[in-house]
Amino acid sequence: MRARLLLEDGTECVGTALGAASEQFGEVVFNTGLTGYQEVLSDPSYCGQIVVMTYPLIGNYGINRDDFEAVRPFIHGFVVREHCDLPSNWRSASTLDELLREYEIPGIAGVDTRMLTRKIRHHGTLRGLITTADTPADELIHQIRRTPLLTDQVSRVSTKSVFSCPGNGPRVVLVDFGSKHGILRELTKRGCDVVVVPYDVTAEEIRRIRPDGVLLSNGPGDPKDVPEAIHMIRDLLGEYPLFGICLGHQLFALASGANTEKMKFGHRGGNHPVKELTSGRTYITSQNHGYAVTSESIVGTGLEITHIALNDGTIEGLRDLNRRAFSVQYHPEAAPGPYDSGYLFDQFLELIASTKGANAYAKTT
């Protein structure tokens, strides 16, 4: 079956339909990962987006039970150069095409993904649409240009109720803005007693849980579209050790008085170099974000820049020593990507331990 990808600038790509025979609108972005397409598809941070994979062959190791990063995908479309419909891997349980069909996600194969990537790098992210219908291109492009992007992605992907993953270690409240399972895995394998809460949780509700620390998860969209989270974080800052990841990093910055802005085409992939300023060491990181904290807005906030992206100099890490809080723009849980930065979860637990030790000492003096 024929499928088309149309962009707001008038571009039309014709290829072979992949997944659901339907029509879907979204923001068109690209991902530079060489592997990990299953984790990309199931990452809630892609809610509302059509993802172009720059690696030319996708689907060759199929889909398995264990590599999902959410209960279901929230991605709006998938674009590949070449789709492999005969995967070879001992864990494979289904094909990429079958997964997309199951969740009614349209895809397209056989298009020039290099051209699309260069176009996005030049113009910035573009609104687009994948369709299997024969509607005239002019009509569809007009429809794309007058359709606004989503602003409620976080409410779509966040858990609707509180749930816990018991452990014998410190109690961590994980605020779910679209959290990947990888974050929960990293906490539970360190023995944490994790309580997962919805994005619109209040500071008072978190206090009732009596946590030892608070982790702000990744998630989709513009952090300024989640004002209730900014107020909650501002209310809790300094009260508990706090760790922010990706969207959680941006929300932490906003709650501290800094500002964020939309990037031209964002960072998405498992191969982004980041420099840690204190050690001078470079880490290869997994990233997925379209917004960044602005450098000039850090002045006077009490925040300190800890990491920068080597490709474009944008902020990749922040900390506030006085309020026992830090954050990174990238994904230390990887999935997909390198595990170089997993030590950040250990730093979070060390911060919790030192805070509990200090509190215990204060009570005895």
Side-chain angles (χ1 to χ4, degrees):
M1 182 183 296
R2 189 182 81 143
R4 291 180 294 160
L5 169 67
L6 298 103
L7 305 179
E8 61 180 301
D9 69 348
T11 300
E12 179 181 17
C13 299
V14 180
T16 304
L18 178 64
S22 62
E23 184 171 293
Q24 186 63 272
F25 167 86
E27 181 183 32
V28 183
V29 301
F30 65 85
N31 182 291
T32 58
L34 305 184
T35 60
Y37 55 82
Q38 180 174 340
E39 293 93 329
V40 169
L41 282 166
S42 57
D43 183 348
S45 294
Y46 284 113
C47 178
Q49 295 179 328
I50 295 171
V51 179
V52 177
M53 298 298 293
T54 63
Y55 191 72
L57 178 62
I58 302 295
N60 52 311
Y61 55 85
I63 300 294
N64 66 76
R65 186 192 67 175
D66 300 322
D67 288 344
F68 287 99
E69 285 300 309
V71 173
R72 56 150 299 154
F74 293 93
I75 196 171
H76 276 201
F78 205 49
V79 183
V80 303
R81 176 68 185 91
E82 181 181 349
H83 164 240
C84 176
D85 56 2
L86 293 173
S88 177
N89 185 279
W90 67 274
R91 295 196 304 158
S92 179
S94 63
T95 67
L96 170 61
D97 181 61
E98 289 169 341
L99 175 71
L100 295 176
R101 288 175 184 271
E102 180 180 357
Y103 292 101
E104 299 183 351
I105 301 167
I108 183 171
V111 299
D112 188 347
T113 52
R114 180 181 292 271
M115 176 275 293
L116 289 170
T117 301
R118 288 171 64 90
K119 183 180 289 289
I120 293 169
R121 282 183 60 89
H122 179 72
H123 294 286
T125 56
L126 294 162
R127 288 175 293 179
L129 180 146
I130 295 177
T131 183
T132 54
D134 293 326
T135 310
D138 290 346
E139 183 178 329
L140 291 174
I141 291 168
H142 177 68
Q143 175 184 332
I144 293 168
R145 290 172 177 167
R146 58 186 173 87
T147 303
L149 295 173
L150 294 178
T151 59
D152 64 342
Q153 299 101 307
V154 169
S155 65
R156 294 179 181 225
V157 301
S158 175
T159 182
K160 301 300 185 285
S161 58
V162 177
F163 67 92
S164 62
C165 297
N168 296 320
R171 176 170 295 173
V172 174
V173 165
L174 173 58
V175 185
D176 178 16
F177 300 111
S179 179
K180 293 166 63 181
H181 287 171
I183 295 176
L184 194 55
R185 286 194 296 267
E186 292 296 323
L187 292 173
T188 55
K189 82 178 184 181
R190 288 170 170 81
C192 294
D193 179 21
V194 185
V195 181
V196 184
V197 298
Y199 78 99
D200 55 355
V201 66
T202 65
E204 185 55 38
E205 287 169 335
I206 288 179
R207 291 187 183 105
R208 290 182 197 137
I209 298 171
R210 300 184 182 279
D212 298 308
V214 176
L215 196 154
L216 310 173
S217 85
N218 65 289
D222 185 344
K224 293 176 182 175
D225 288 336
V226 202
E228 55 269 67
I230 298 169
H231 297 313
M232 175 272 291
I233 297 165
R234 186 178 295 134
D235 197 8
L236 291 179
L237 274 175
E239 193 169 338
Y240 304 101
L242 184 143
F243 178 24
I245 294 175
C246 200
L247 182 67
H249 157 83
Q250 297 161 13
L251 291 167
F252 164 55
L254 290 171
S256 300
N259 193 24
T260 57
E261 65 180 3
K262 187 174 176 65
M263 305 171 76
K264 186 174 181 181
F265 49 82
H267 297 169
R268 297 175 179 88
N271 43 16
H272 289 261
V274 166
K275 183 177 181 179
E276 184 180 53
L277 298 182
T278 53
S279 67
R281 180 175 177 178
T282 295
Y283 295 89
I284 302 302
T285 68
S286 175
Q287 302 202 11
N288 178 16
H289 61 276
Y291 291 81
V293 180
T294 60
S295 298
E296 62 274 13
S297 71
I298 296 297
V299 179
T301 63
L303 297 174
E304 176 187 349
I305 299 173
T306 58
H307 300 74
I308 61 168
L310 290 181
N311 287 338
D312 60 11
T314 53
I315 294 174
E316 291 287 342
L318 294 167
R319 67 181 174 190
D320 185 333
L321 295 177
N322 293 326
R323 295 191 283 187
R324 299 169 297 163
F326 71 103
S327 64
V328 290
Q329 180 63 84
Y330 52 95
H331 287 266
E333 82 287 350
Y339 289 93
D340 301 26
S341 302
Y343 72 93
L344 291 166
F345 290 100
D346 297 323
Q347 285 190 358
F348 179 46
L349 296 187
E350 289 167 5
L351 182 60
I352 289 174
S354 64
T355 300
K356 291 177 72 174
N359 290 343
Y361 176 78
K363 290 177 181 178
T364 60
T365 57

mmCIF file of all heavy atoms in Angstrom, residues 158-199:
data_model
loop_
_atom_site.group_PDB
_atom_site.id
_atom_site.type_symbol
_atom_site.label_atom_id
_atom_site.label_comp_id
_atom_site.label_asym_id
_atom_site.label_seq_id
_atom_site.Cartn_x
_atom_site.Cartn_y
_atom_site.Cartn_z
ATOM 1 N N SER A 158 1.093 10.576 31.514
ATOM 2 C CA SER A 158 1.358 10.357 32.942
ATOM 3 C C SER A 158 0.413 9.314 33.526
ATOM 4 O O SER A 158 -0.717 9.134 33.056
ATOM 5 C CB SER A 158 1.195 11.675 33.702
ATOM 6 O OG SER A 158 1.331 11.485 35.094
ATOM 7 N N THR A 159 0.878 8.626 34.573
ATOM 8 C CA THR A 159 0.002 7.705 35.298
ATOM 9 C C THR A 159 -1.198 8.469 35.858
ATOM 10 O O THR A 159 -1.089 9.648 36.222
ATOM 11 C CB THR A 159 0.759 7.006 36.444
ATOM 12 O OG1 THR A 159 -0.121 6.086 37.084
ATOM 13 C CG2 THR A 159 1.269 8.002 37.464
ATOM 14 N N LYS A 160 -2.325 7.820 35.925
ATOM 15 C CA LYS A 160 -3.536 8.463 36.450
ATOM 16 C C LYS A 160 -3.716 8.225 37.945
ATOM 17 O O LYS A 160 -4.558 8.852 38.571
ATOM 18 C CB LYS A 160 -4.762 7.937 35.694
ATOM 19 C CG LYS A 160 -4.721 8.187 34.188
ATOM 20 C CD LYS A 160 -4.638 9.667 33.868
ATOM 21 C CE LYS A 160 -4.730 9.935 32.372
ATOM 22 N NZ LYS A 160 -3.486 9.584 31.645
ATOM 23 N N SER A 161 -2.931 7.322 38.506
ATOM 24 C CA SER A 161 -3.078 7.017 39.930
ATOM 25 C C SER A 161 -1.720 6.705 40.533
ATOM 26 O O SER A 161 -0.766 6.384 39.826
ATOM 27 C CB SER A 161 -4.029 5.830 40.132
ATOM 28 O OG SER A 161 -3.548 4.691 39.437
ATOM 29 N N VAL A 162 -1.650 6.775 41.857
ATOM 30 C CA VAL A 162 -0.412 6.481 42.579
ATOM 31 C C VAL A 162 -0.214 4.973 42.653
ATOM 32 O O VAL A 162 -1.158 4.218 42.884
ATOM 33 C CB VAL A 162 -0.480 7.066 44.006
ATOM 34 C CG1 VAL A 162 0.774 6.720 44.797
ATOM 35 C CG2 VAL A 162 -0.686 8.582 43.951
ATOM 36 N N PHE A 163 1.019 4.515 42.443
ATOM 37 C CA PHE A 163 1.336 3.110 42.671
ATOM 38 C C PHE A 163 2.757 3.005 43.205
ATOM 39 O O PHE A 163 3.558 3.933 43.076
ATOM 40 C CB PHE A 163 1.155 2.272 41.400
ATOM 41 C CG PHE A 163 2.129 2.569 40.290
ATOM 42 C CD1 PHE A 163 3.320 1.855 40.163
ATOM 43 C CD2 PHE A 163 1.850 3.555 39.350
ATOM 44 C CE1 PHE A 163 4.208 2.120 39.130
ATOM 45 C CE2 PHE A 163 2.727 3.831 38.308
ATOM 46 C CZ PHE A 163 3.912 3.107 38.199
ATOM 47 N N SER A 164 3.070 1.880 43.819
ATOM 48 C CA SER A 164 4.373 1.733 44.461
ATOM 49 C C SER A 164 5.097 0.487 43.984
ATOM 50 O O SER A 164 4.479 -0.502 43.573
ATOM 51 C CB SER A 164 4.225 1.689 45.989
ATOM 52 O OG SER A 164 3.458 0.566 46.385
ATOM 53 N N CYS A 165 6.427 0.552 44.052
ATOM 54 C CA CYS A 165 7.311 -0.584 43.796
ATOM 55 C C CYS A 165 8.162 -0.734 45.058
ATOM 56 O O CYS A 165 9.181 -0.048 45.200
ATOM 57 C CB CYS A 165 8.185 -0.336 42.573
ATOM 58 S SG CYS A 165 7.258 -0.154 41.045
ATOM 59 N N PRO A 166 7.742 -1.589 45.991
ATOM 60 C CA PRO A 166 8.380 -1.638 47.305
ATOM 61 C C PRO A 166 9.850 -2.059 47.244
ATOM 62 O O PRO A 166 10.265 -2.832 46.384
ATOM 63 C CB PRO A 166 7.544 -2.686 48.051
ATOM 64 C CG PRO A 166 6.245 -2.739 47.311
ATOM 65 C CD PRO A 166 6.588 -2.479 45.885
ATOM 66 N N GLY A 167 10.609 -1.518 48.178
ATOM 67 C CA GLY A 167 12.007 -1.876 48.337
ATOM 68 C C GLY A 167 12.438 -1.596 49.765
ATOM 69 O O GLY A 167 11.711 -0.965 50.539
ATOM 70 N N ASN A 168 13.637 -2.063 50.103
ATOM 71 C CA ASN A 168 14.132 -1.899 51.475
ATOM 72 C C ASN A 168 14.988 -0.650 51.652
ATOM 73 O O ASN A 168 15.431 -0.363 52.764
ATOM 74 C CB ASN A 168 14.954 -3.130 51.876
ATOM 75 C CG ASN A 168 14.114 -4.395 51.924
ATOM 76 O OD1 ASN A 168 12.975 -4.357 52.376
ATOM 77 N ND2 ASN A 168 14.668 -5.496 51.449
ATOM 78 N N GLY A 169 15.209 0.084 50.576
ATOM 79 C CA GLY A 169 16.057 1.256 50.633
ATOM 80 C C GLY A 169 15.276 2.529 50.871
ATOM 81 O O GLY A 169 14.123 2.501 51.337
ATOM 82 N N PRO A 170 15.873 3.657 50.549
ATOM 83 C CA PRO A 170 15.201 4.949 50.760
ATOM 84 C C PRO A 170 13.936 5.078 49.929
ATOM 85 O O PRO A 170 13.855 4.533 48.816
ATOM 86 C CB PRO A 170 16.261 5.965 50.338
ATOM 87 C CG PRO A 170 17.196 5.216 49.459
ATOM 88 C CD PRO A 170 17.220 3.829 49.977
ATOM 89 N N ARG A 171 12.967 5.807 50.458
ATOM 90 C CA ARG A 171 11.714 6.014 49.730
ATOM 91 C C ARG A 171 11.875 7.188 48.773
ATOM 92 O O ARG A 171 12.209 8.304 49.184
ATOM 93 C CB ARG A 171 10.563 6.277 50.690
ATOM 94 C CG ARG A 171 9.246 6.586 49.986
ATOM 95 C CD ARG A 171 8.087 6.594 50.940
ATOM 96 N NE ARG A 171 7.872 5.268 51.508
ATOM 97 C CZ ARG A 171 6.994 5.013 52.479
ATOM 98 N NH1 ARG A 171 6.268 5.998 52.988
ATOM 99 N NH2 ARG A 171 6.855 3.793 52.936
ATOM 100 N N VAL A 172 11.643 6.911 47.498
ATOM 101 C CA VAL A 172 11.768 7.931 46.450
ATOM 102 C C VAL A 172 10.412 8.132 45.785
ATOM 103 O O VAL A 172 9.790 7.162 45.325
ATOM 104 C CB VAL A 172 12.808 7.519 45.391
ATOM 105 C CG1 VAL A 172 12.828 8.513 44.237
ATOM 106 C CG2 VAL A 172 14.199 7.405 46.017
ATOM 107 N N VAL A 173 9.944 9.365 45.757
ATOM 108 C CA VAL A 173 8.760 9.701 44.975
ATOM 109 C C VAL A 173 9.203 10.005 43.557
ATOM 110 O O VAL A 173 10.030 10.902 43.327
ATOM 111 C CB VAL A 173 8.015 10.909 45.571
ATOM 112 C CG1 VAL A 173 7.009 11.462 44.562
ATOM 113 C CG2 VAL A 173 7.284 10.500 46.838
ATOM 114 N N LEU A 174 8.694 9.233 42.604
ATOM 115 C CA LEU A 174 8.979 9.447 41.186
ATOM 116 C C LEU A 174 7.777 10.159 40.572
ATOM 117 O O LEU A 174 6.702 9.573 40.434
ATOM 118 C CB LEU A 174 9.226 8.111 40.483
ATOM 119 C CG LEU A 174 9.368 8.130 38.953
ATOM 120 C CD1 LEU A 174 10.500 9.051 38.515
ATOM 121 C CD2 LEU A 174 9.589 6.711 38.426
ATOM 122 N N VAL A 175 7.948 11.436 40.234
ATOM 123 C CA VAL A 175 6.856 12.195 39.619
ATOM 124 C C VAL A 175 6.859 11.875 38.134
ATOM 125 O O VAL A 175 7.834 12.136 37.421
ATOM 126 C CB VAL A 175 7.014 13.708 39.855
ATOM 127 C CG1 VAL A 175 5.793 14.446 39.315
ATOM 128 C CG2 VAL A 175 7.195 14.015 41.335
ATOM 129 N N ASP A 176 5.758 11.297 37.673
ATOM 130 C CA ASP A 176 5.668 10.750 36.323
ATOM 131 C C ASP A 176 5.135 11.786 35.338
ATOM 132 O O ASP A 176 3.933 11.992 35.225
ATOM 133 C CB ASP A 176 4.765 9.515 36.344
ATOM 134 C CG ASP A 176 4.568 8.898 34.972
ATOM 135 O OD1 ASP A 176 5.339 9.223 34.050
ATOM 136 O OD2 ASP A 176 3.633 8.090 34.818
ATOM 137 N N PHE A 177 6.034 12.413 34.598
ATOM 138 C CA PHE A 177 5.646 13.326 33.521
ATOM 139 C C PHE A 177 5.636 12.608 32.164
ATOM 140 O O PHE A 177 5.434 13.235 31.132
ATOM 141 C CB PHE A 177 6.624 14.506 33.453
ATOM 142 C CG PHE A 177 6.690 15.315 34.710
ATOM 143 C CD1 PHE A 177 7.826 15.293 35.498
ATOM 144 C CD2 PHE A 177 5.616 16.088 35.117
ATOM 145 C CE1 PHE A 177 7.899 16.033 36.666
ATOM 146 C CE2 PHE A 177 5.667 16.828 36.287
ATOM 147 C CZ PHE A 177 6.817 16.799 37.061
ATOM 148 N N GLY A 178 5.839 11.307 32.191
ATOM 149 C CA GLY A 178 5.997 10.493 30.994
ATOM 150 C C GLY A 178 7.219 9.617 31.166
ATOM 151 O O GLY A 178 8.009 9.412 30.247
ATOM 152 N N SER A 179 7.369 9.104 32.378
ATOM 153 C CA SER A 179 8.586 8.403 32.778
ATOM 154 C C SER A 179 8.817 7.139 31.966
ATOM 155 O O SER A 179 7.904 6.357 31.711
ATOM 156 C CB SER A 179 8.515 8.042 34.262
ATOM 157 O OG SER A 179 9.668 7.353 34.672
ATOM 158 N N LYS A 180 10.072 6.932 31.599
ATOM 159 C CA LYS A 180 10.483 5.680 30.969
ATOM 160 C C LYS A 180 10.679 4.613 32.042
ATOM 161 O O LYS A 180 11.067 4.911 33.167
ATOM 162 C CB LYS A 180 11.786 5.893 30.191
ATOM 163 C CG LYS A 180 11.640 6.810 28.999
ATOM 164 C CD LYS A 180 12.985 7.258 28.470
ATOM 165 C CE LYS A 180 13.814 6.096 27.967
ATOM 166 N NZ LYS A 180 15.132 6.546 27.472
ATOM 167 N N HIS A 181 10.418 3.362 31.673
ATOM 168 C CA HIS A 181 10.603 2.270 32.610
ATOM 169 C C HIS A 181 12.046 2.161 33.073
ATOM 170 O O HIS A 181 12.318 1.651 34.163
ATOM 171 C CB HIS A 181 10.171 0.957 31.964
ATOM 172 C CG HIS A 181 8.693 0.824 31.829
ATOM 173 N ND1 HIS A 181 8.084 -0.194 31.106
ATOM 174 C CD2 HIS A 181 7.673 1.580 32.311
ATOM 175 C CE1 HIS A 181 6.773 -0.045 31.163
ATOM 176 N NE2 HIS A 181 6.500 1.017 31.881
ATOM 177 N N GLY A 182 12.979 2.651 32.241
ATOM 178 C CA GLY A 182 14.385 2.582 32.602
ATOM 179 C C GLY A 182 14.691 3.301 33.900
ATOM 180 O O GLY A 182 15.558 2.868 34.673
ATOM 181 N N ILE A 183 14.015 4.406 34.170
ATOM 182 C CA ILE A 183 14.229 5.141 35.420
ATOM 183 C C ILE A 183 13.789 4.291 36.607
ATOM 184 O O ILE A 183 14.499 4.190 37.612
ATOM 185 C CB ILE A 183 13.469 6.486 35.395
ATOM 186 C CG1 ILE A 183 14.049 7.406 34.307
ATOM 187 C CG2 ILE A 183 13.513 7.153 36.761
ATOM 188 C CD1 ILE A 183 13.304 8.712 34.139
ATOM 189 N N LEU A 184 12.624 3.670 36.472
ATOM 190 C CA LEU A 184 12.130 2.804 37.546
ATOM 191 C C LEU A 184 13.067 1.617 37.753
ATOM 192 O O LEU A 184 13.337 1.216 38.892
ATOM 193 C CB LEU A 184 10.718 2.328 37.201
ATOM 194 C CG LEU A 184 9.881 1.693 38.303
ATOM 195 C CD1 LEU A 184 9.767 2.616 39.495
ATOM 196 C CD2 LEU A 184 8.517 1.312 37.771
ATOM 197 N N ARG A 185 13.590 1.053 36.662
ATOM 198 C CA ARG A 185 14.527 -0.066 36.785
ATOM 199 C C ARG A 185 15.780 0.340 37.554
ATOM 200 O O ARG A 185 16.282 -0.409 38.397
ATOM 201 C CB ARG A 185 14.914 -0.586 35.400
ATOM 202 C CG ARG A 185 13.839 -1.390 34.691
ATOM 203 C CD ARG A 185 14.397 -2.146 33.512
ATOM 204 N NE ARG A 185 14.903 -1.261 32.474
ATOM 205 C CZ ARG A 185 14.188 -0.836 31.439
ATOM 206 N NH1 ARG A 185 12.923 -1.196 31.318
ATOM 207 N NH2 ARG A 185 14.724 -0.056 30.519
ATOM 208 N N GLU A 186 16.316 1.530 37.253
ATOM 209 C CA GLU A 186 17.536 1.977 37.919
ATOM 210 C C GLU A 186 17.314 2.199 39.414
ATOM 211 O O GLU A 186 18.198 1.936 40.236
ATOM 212 C CB GLU A 186 18.057 3.265 37.270
ATOM 213 C CG GLU A 186 18.574 3.075 35.853
ATOM 214 C CD GLU A 186 19.785 2.156 35.800
ATOM 215 O OE1 GLU A 186 20.626 2.208 36.720
ATOM 216 O OE2 GLU A 186 19.895 1.368 34.838
ATOM 217 N N LEU A 187 16.134 2.691 39.772
ATOM 218 C CA LEU A 187 15.837 2.916 41.187
ATOM 219 C C LEU A 187 15.602 1.600 41.924
ATOM 220 O O LEU A 187 16.118 1.395 43.030
ATOM 221 C CB LEU A 187 14.614 3.822 41.328
ATOM 222 C CG LEU A 187 14.787 5.279 40.879
ATOM 223 C CD1 LEU A 187 13.444 6.006 40.913
ATOM 224 C CD2 LEU A 187 15.810 6.012 41.748
ATOM 225 N N THR A 188 14.824 0.714 41.333
ATOM 226 C CA THR A 188 14.484 -0.535 42.028
ATOM 227 C C THR A 188 15.688 -1.463 42.150
ATOM 228 O O THR A 188 15.827 -2.178 43.142
ATOM 229 C CB THR A 188 13.324 -1.264 41.327
ATOM 230 O OG1 THR A 188 13.655 -1.474 39.947
ATOM 231 C CG2 THR A 188 12.046 -0.461 41.413
ATOM 232 N N LYS A 189 16.578 -1.459 41.160
ATOM 233 C CA LYS A 189 17.743 -2.343 41.275
ATOM 234 C C LYS A 189 18.717 -1.849 42.348
ATOM 235 O O LYS A 189 19.585 -2.605 42.789
ATOM 236 C CB LYS A 189 18.439 -2.497 39.927
ATOM 237 C CG LYS A 189 19.389 -1.403 39.517
ATOM 238 C CD LYS A 189 20.018 -1.742 38.182
ATOM 239 C CE LYS A 189 21.064 -0.705 37.761
ATOM 240 N NZ LYS A 189 21.659 -1.041 36.440
ATOM 241 N N ARG A 190 18.543 -0.587 42.772
ATOM 242 C CA ARG A 190 19.332 -0.058 43.887
ATOM 243 C C ARG A 190 18.576 -0.180 45.212
ATOM 244 O O ARG A 190 19.010 0.374 46.216
ATOM 245 C CB ARG A 190 19.701 1.405 43.610
ATOM 246 C CG ARG A 190 20.750 1.554 42.516
ATOM 247 C CD ARG A 190 20.916 3.001 42.079
ATOM 248 N NE ARG A 190 22.070 3.171 41.204
ATOM 249 C CZ ARG A 190 22.080 2.902 39.907
ATOM 250 N NH1 ARG A 190 20.970 2.445 39.321
ATOM 251 N NH2 ARG A 190 23.174 3.067 39.190
ATOM 252 N N GLY A 191 17.451 -0.909 45.190
ATOM 253 C CA GLY A 191 16.714 -1.193 46.409
ATOM 254 C C GLY A 191 15.772 -0.113 46.879
ATOM 255 O O GLY A 191 15.227 -0.199 47.989
ATOM 256 N N CYS A 192 15.540 0.900 46.057
ATOM 257 C CA CYS A 192 14.679 2.005 46.488
ATOM 258 C C CYS A 192 13.229 1.559 46.657
ATOM 259 O O CYS A 192 12.728 0.694 45.926
ATOM 260 C CB CYS A 192 14.738 3.148 45.480
ATOM 261 S SG CYS A 192 16.342 3.952 45.366
ATOM 262 N N ASP A 193 12.562 2.172 47.612
ATOM 263 C CA ASP A 193 11.122 2.011 47.818
ATOM 264 C C ASP A 193 10.459 3.136 47.021
ATOM 265 O O ASP A 193 10.403 4.279 47.474
ATOM 266 C CB ASP A 193 10.808 2.120 49.308
ATOM 267 C CG ASP A 193 9.325 1.982 49.609
ATOM 268 O OD1 ASP A 193 8.600 1.420 48.770
ATOM 269 O OD2 ASP A 193 8.898 2.456 50.675
ATOM 270 N N VAL A 194 9.993 2.820 45.813
ATOM 271 C CA VAL A 194 9.557 3.851 44.871
ATOM 272 C C VAL A 194 8.041 4.013 44.901
ATOM 273 O O VAL A 194 7.299 3.023 44.828
ATOM 274 C CB VAL A 194 10.008 3.511 43.434
ATOM 275 C CG1 VAL A 194 9.649 4.654 42.479
ATOM 276 C CG2 VAL A 194 11.506 3.234 43.392
ATOM 277 N N VAL A 195 7.602 5.260 44.993
ATOM 278 C CA VAL A 195 6.183 5.594 44.885
ATOM 279 C C VAL A 195 6.027 6.494 43.660
ATOM 280 O O VAL A 195 6.588 7.593 43.619
ATOM 281 C CB VAL A 195 5.662 6.315 46.143
ATOM 282 C CG1 VAL A 195 4.169 6.617 45.996
ATOM 283 C CG2 VAL A 195 5.926 5.479 47.394
ATOM 284 N N VAL A 196 5.301 6.017 42.663
ATOM 285 C CA VAL A 196 5.099 6.764 41.417
ATOM 286 C C VAL A 196 3.812 7.553 41.523
ATOM 287 O O VAL A 196 2.754 7.007 41.884
ATOM 288 C CB VAL A 196 5.051 5.817 40.204
ATOM 289 C CG1 VAL A 196 4.936 6.617 38.905
ATOM 290 C CG2 VAL A 196 6.291 4.923 40.166
ATOM 291 N N VAL A 197 3.886 8.856 41.216
ATOM 292 C CA VAL A 197 2.727 9.735 41.364
ATOM 293 C C VAL A 197 2.452 10.468 40.058
ATOM 294 O O VAL A 197 3.351 10.650 39.236
ATOM 295 C CB VAL A 197 2.944 10.755 42.510
ATOM 296 C CG1 VAL A 197 3.113 10.038 43.837
ATOM 297 C CG2 VAL A 197 4.152 11.645 42.220
ATOM 298 N N PRO A 198 1.210 10.920 39.830
ATOM 299 C CA PRO A 198 0.868 11.644 38.598
ATOM 300 C C PRO A 198 1.566 12.998 38.511
ATOM 301 O O PRO A 198 2.033 13.553 39.512
ATOM 302 C CB PRO A 198 -0.651 11.813 38.693
ATOM 303 C CG PRO A 198 -1.101 10.804 39.692
ATOM 304 C CD PRO A 198 0.025 10.649 40.654
ATOM 305 N N TYR A 199 1.578 13.540 37.297
ATOM 306 C CA TYR A 199 2.260 14.807 37.028
ATOM 307 C C TYR A 199 1.678 15.977 37.816
ATOM 308 O O TYR A 199 2.369 16.944 38.127
ATOM 309 C CB TYR A 199 2.191 15.131 35.534
ATOM 310 C CG TYR A 199 0.859 15.694 35.089
ATOM 311 C CD1 TYR A 199 0.686 17.073 34.912
ATOM 312 C CD2 TYR A 199 -0.247 14.871 34.867
ATOM 313 C CE1 TYR A 199 -0.532 17.591 34.524
ATOM 314 C CE2 TYR A 199 -1.461 15.389 34.479
ATOM 315 C CZ TYR A 199 -1.605 16.752 34.309
ATOM 316 O OH TYR A 199 -2.816 17.266 33.929
#
